[in-house]
Amino acid sequence: MNNKSNFSSRIGFIFAAAGSAVGLGNIWRFPYLAAKYGGGTFLLIYLILAISFGFTLMITEIAIGRKTGKSVLYAFSALNKKYSFLGVLASIVPMIIFPYYCVIGGWVAKYFVTYITNPVKGSINGNYFDGFITQVYQPIFWLSLFILATTIIVMLGVEKGIEKASKFLMPFLVVLSIGLAVYMFTLKDAKQGVLYYLMPDMSRFSFQAVLAAMGQLFYSMSLAMGIMVTYGSYVSKKENLEASVRNIELFDTAIAFVSGLIIVPAVFAFSGGDENVLTAGAGLMFITLPEVFANLKLGTLIGTAFFLLVLFAALTSAISLMETIVAVLQDKFKIKRIPACLLVALVAFIIGIPSSLGFGIWSGIKILDLSILDFFDFISNAVLMPIVAFLTCIFVGYVIKPDTLIEEVEESAAFKSKKIYVIVIKYIAPVLILLILISSILNTFGIITL
Ligand code: PHE
C-alpha cells in the first residue's frame, strides 16, 4: 500500500462513502426527477439501474483504488502505463467541482444559521434568496466558512477526521430525514402528494426517463470523479467489497427516496398540485421550501432541521471531494497532508469566488449562455464525468480485463455478481454512458429537454 492512512472499520468506510454519495443530488434533484418522470415508474427504473449499472461502476472504482493503493492520479497508470491520461482526467473533475460545490454549501450554511437564529416567519422567501446571492461579501464569507469546516475535517486525516465525522453525521442525517418525512406525512393533503410520488404512471415512462435516472445515479453515487478510487485505496484487503458497495447503494437510494417523501407531499400540498413548482431546480430548495415551511405550524423548527440535514449532506460530499484532491497532491508532490489541505483550501476559495459573483455583479458574464457556476457544473457533470466513466469501462473491460478486478474483489470474499459484472462493464455500461454524454450535451444546448 502506498497510502498510509486507512479506514479503521468497515462501517467507517461505508459511512464515509455513503456520506460522499448522499448530497444535494439526493435531497432536491432526486425527488423532482421522480415526480416528473412518473413517480413509482421512475423509482423502479432507478432501482434496477442502481443494482446493475451503479453497482458495477462503484465496485470497479473501489477495487481499482484498493488494488493499487494509489490516489486517482496514479491508480490507472499503476495498472497500465499507457492510461496515465485517464488518471489526469479523473483528477481534474473534483478540482472543478469542489470550489463551486462549496459556494452552494455556503448558501446552505447561511440558511441553516438564519433559521436557527429564529427569523420572522415568511421572511425567507424569493426576495431573501435573490438579495443574498447577489451580494458580494456575504456569500463569499459563507463560502469561506464552509471551506474552513471541510478543511478542518480533512486535515485531521482519514480515520480521525473523515471516518469520525461520517460516523457521527450520517446516523444523524438518517434520523433527521425520517423525522421530517414523518412530520410531513401528518400534514393536511399530504396523502395526495405521496400518491403522486409513489404511484407508477406508465404514461410518463420514456427513454428520457431512463436517461434522466442514469444521469442522476451517476452523480448521486459520486462516480467518475476519483472519489471511490481514493476511498477504495484506504480499504483493508479483508473487507468484503461487494457487501460494502451494496450497503452504500442502499444508503444512497434510501435517503433519496425519503427526501422525496419530505419534499414532494409538502410542495404538492402547498402549491395545490402544481407540478411546475417541483421542477424549479435550486429555487425549489432555497425559495419554495422555505415558503412551504413558513406556512407550517412548526415551520422555523422544520426549516432548521431541514437545512441542517442538507448541510450535513453537503459537508460529507465536500469532504470526499477535498480528500480526493489532497490525495492527488500528496502523491504528486510528496507533501504532507496539512500543507496539501491548506493549499487546496486557498485555491478552492479563490476559484470559488467567480462562481459566487456570477449571481451578482458578474451576472453579465455568460459562458455558453450559462452562469459561471452552471458552466463549471456542465463541464464536470455533463462532459468530463461521462468521458471518464466511459474510458474506465473500456479500460477495465478490454485493457486490464475484468478478471483483474474480480480477483481483487475475491481477495476477501466470493464475488457473487461477477457474471453480470462482466456483461455490464463490457457491453451495457459503455453504451448507456455514451447515451448520457450525448443527451446531456444536447439538453444543455436546448436541442432536447430532459
Ligand atoms: N453524490 C453527491 C450528491 O448526490 C454529489 C457529489 C458527490 C458532489 C461528491 C460532490 C462530491 O449530491
Side-chain angles (χ1 to χ4, degrees):
M1 287 281 279
N2 194 27
N3 285 307
K4 287 163 273 37
S5 26
N6 278 311
F7 291 115
S8 72
S9 63
R10 166 143 177 226
I11 195 78
F13 161 58
I14 293 173
F15 277 157
S20 172
V22 175
L24 301 172
N26 300 58
I27 300 177
W28 68 261
R29 200 154 175 272
F30 181 88
Y32 95 71
L33 285 178
K36 184 171 169 193
Y37 289 111
T41 318
F42 182 88
L43 298 181
L44 195 67
I45 302 173
Y46 187 88
L47 221 56
I48 294 171
L49 287 172
I51 54 180
S52 54
F53 175 76
F55 168 80
T56 301
L57 290 182
M58 186 178 275
I59 200 160
T60 296
E61 292 196 16
I62 293 176
I64 290 179
R66 190 174 77 169
K67 185 169 177 61
T68 61
K70 295 204 187 302
S71 75
V72 62
L73 182 62
Y74 294 124
F76 295 97
S77 56
L79 294 168
N80 183 311
K81 280 258 167 315
K82 282 201 209 115
Y83 279 73
S84 55
F85 74 94
L86 186 49
V88 176
L89 215 56
S91 307
I92 295 174
V93 183
M95 295 181 188
I96 298 177
I97 298 181
F98 184 55
Y100 81 75
Y101 201 79
C102 290
V103 172
I104 302 176
W107 297 354
V108 176
K110 161 78 179 172
Y111 266 60
F112 168 63
V113 171
T114 310
Y115 268 105
I116 215 172
T117 47
N118 214 353
V120 178
K121 248 193 166 180
S123 61
I124 303 186
N125 52 27
N127 293 335
Y128 178 85
F129 183 57
D130 288 336
F132 169 61
I133 61 167
T134 50
Q135 288 174 38
V136 174
Y137 296 112
Q138 274 268 345
I140 292 179
F141 168 73
W142 289 97
L143 161 70
S144 66
L145 274 192
F146 188 83
I147 293 183
L148 185 71
T150 311
T151 309
I152 291 173
I153 296 171
V154 178
M155 257 199 287
L156 289 170
V158 176
E159 192 188 331
K160 295 209 180 73
I162 300 174
E163 183 171 341
K164 262 217 171 111
S166 311
K167 270 174 149 167
F168 165 73
L169 295 173
M170 296 312 287
F172 202 76
L173 191 142
V174 172
V175 174
L176 262 180
S177 56
I178 294 177
L180 279 169
V182 169
Y183 176 80
M184 293 301 184
F185 197 70
T186 63
L187 298 180
K188 191 163 84 54
D189 299 333
K191 278 201 196 67
Q192 266 168 300
V194 173
L195 279 182
Y196 173 70
Y197 178 50
L198 297 181
M199 279 298 276
D201 175 358
M202 280 316 269
S203 69
R204 288 175 189 236
F205 177 81
S206 63
F207 184 60
Q208 293 195 341
V210 179
L211 279 184
M214 207 146 45
Q216 169 65 12
L217 183 68
F218 214 26
Y219 180 74
S220 186
M221 291 182 59
S222 303
L223 297 168
M225 46 180 129
I227 291 177
M228 293 301 161
V229 176
T230 312
Y231 278 10
S233 76
Y234 305 143
V235 174
S236 129
K237 291 278 185 199
K238 285 190 288 235
E239 226 53 275
N240 180 336
L241 293 188
E242 188 172 17
S244 302
V245 172
R246 292 285 179 217
N247 279 315
I248 299 163
E249 283 184 311
L250 187 71
F251 214 121
D252 187 53
T253 309
I255 297 282
F257 176 73
V258 174
S259 299
L261 289 177
I262 300 173
I263 292 178
V264 180
V267 172
F268 209 73
F270 170 75
S271 66
D274 180 358
E275 296 171 10
N276 295 326
V277 178
L278 266 174
T279 58
L284 173 68
M285 184 135 99
F286 293 105
I287 301 172
T288 316
L289 278 175
E291 282 171 358
V292 173
F293 298 152
N295 284 288
L296 300 180
K297 240 202 248 122
L298 298 172
T300 308
L301 182 69
I302 298 297
T304 311
F306 179 79
F307 280 99
L308 185 63
L309 170 74
V310 184
L311 185 61
F312 283 177
L315 192 61
T316 45
S317 294
I319 289 170
S320 68
L321 282 168
M322 185 170 194
E323 175 62 26
T324 303
I325 307 171
V326 165
V328 165
L329 292 186
Q330 284 187 278
D331 250 10
K332 170 94 192 153
F333 301 110
K334 308 274 170 269
I335 49 176
K336 292 232 159 62
R337 172 170 286 273
I338 293 185
C341 287
L342 294 175
L343 184 67
V344 175
L346 183 71
V347 174
F349 176 64
I350 294 169
I351 302 181
I353 290 174
S355 287
S356 179
L357 295 180
F359 295 98
I361 54 170
W362 286 4
S363 59
I365 303 178
K366 294 271 185 263
I367 315 166
L368 298 178
D369 217 21
L370 298 167
S371 74
I372 303 172
L373 189 150
D374 288 329
F375 173 71
F376 284 136
D377 185 63
F378 168 69
I379 288 296
S380 50
N381 291 312
V383 183
L384 282 174
M385 283 166 60
I387 293 177
V388 170
F390 177 75
L391 292 174
T392 306
C393 293
I394 302 298
F395 179 70
V396 175
Y398 302 94
V399 181
I400 63 167
K401 304 282 183 319
D403 276 350
T404 314
L405 296 185
I406 291 174
E407 274 164 28
E408 175 62 32
V409 174
E410 289 187 333
E411 287 244 345
S412 36
F415 189 172
K416 289 190 223 129
S417 338
K418 72 177 163 198
K419 285 218 178 81
I420 167 133
Y421 174 79
V422 176
I423 298 170
V424 175
I425 196 97
K426 285 181 89 160
Y427 309 109
I428 302 179
V431 174
L432 290 182
I433 294 166
L434 268 189
L435 288 174
I436 304 184
L437 178 64
I438 297 167
S439 61
S440 57
I441 292 177
L442 295 180
N443 182 48
T444 303
F445 292 108
I447 302 170
I448 56 168
T449 35
L450 280 185

